[in-house]
Amino acid sequence: LASVCLNNPFSLSVDAGGENLNYRWQISNDNGLYTNLTENSLYVGVNTNRLNITRASQVFNGKNFRCVVTSSGSCVNTVYA
């Protein structure tokens, strides 16, 4: 769990081992399902190990972020942030 201040930027990051790693950041919706984030002015780095969020919003209350990491070896690791 992390606490952030409203309207301030924050970052989430993951460390993963392996070769040819691919990262995909996701956010939970109200039904507990996850959707991929889209790179835009709010979310920067959605396909990297570090997600930068430019402004914390109240819409994030109760939401979870996670990063799905895949490698060329087809291993999948899900890291909740």
Side-chain angles (χ1 to χ4, degrees), residues 13-26 48-49 66-72 74-80:
S13 63
V14 297
D15 289 323
E19 295 181 12
N20 301 318
L21 297 177
N22 298 299
Y23 301 89
R24 171 46 87 184
W25 285 95
Q26 301 177 330
T48 69
N49 71 323
R66 73 179 181 185
C67 185
V68 177
V69 181
T70 59
S71 71
S72 58
S74 299
C75 294
V76 176
N77 296 312
T78 301
V79 179
Y80 295 90

Side-chain angles (χ1 to χ4, degrees), residues 4-73:
V4 297
C5 294
L6 190 61
N7 297 320
N8 285 334
F10 67 98
S11 298
L12 302 168
S13 63
V14 297
D15 289 323
E19 295 181 12
N20 301 318
L21 297 177
N22 298 299
Y23 301 89
R24 171 46 87 184
W25 285 95
Q26 301 177 330
I27 189 170
S28 65
N29 63 22
D30 293 332
N31 297 323
L33 302 174
Y34 283 84
T35 57
N36 292 335
L37 294 177
T38 302
E39 187 89 14
N40 55 38
S41 62
L42 179 60
Y43 302 117
V44 178
V46 298
N47 294 310
T48 69
N49 71 323
R50 183 180 180 93
L51 175 66
N52 295 302
I53 299 173
T54 58
R55 188 171 78 71
S57 170
Q58 288 182 333
V59 297
F60 295 149
N61 286 344
K63 307 290 185 187
N64 293 304
F65 290 90
R66 73 179 181 185
C67 185
V68 177
V69 181
T70 59
S71 71
S72 58

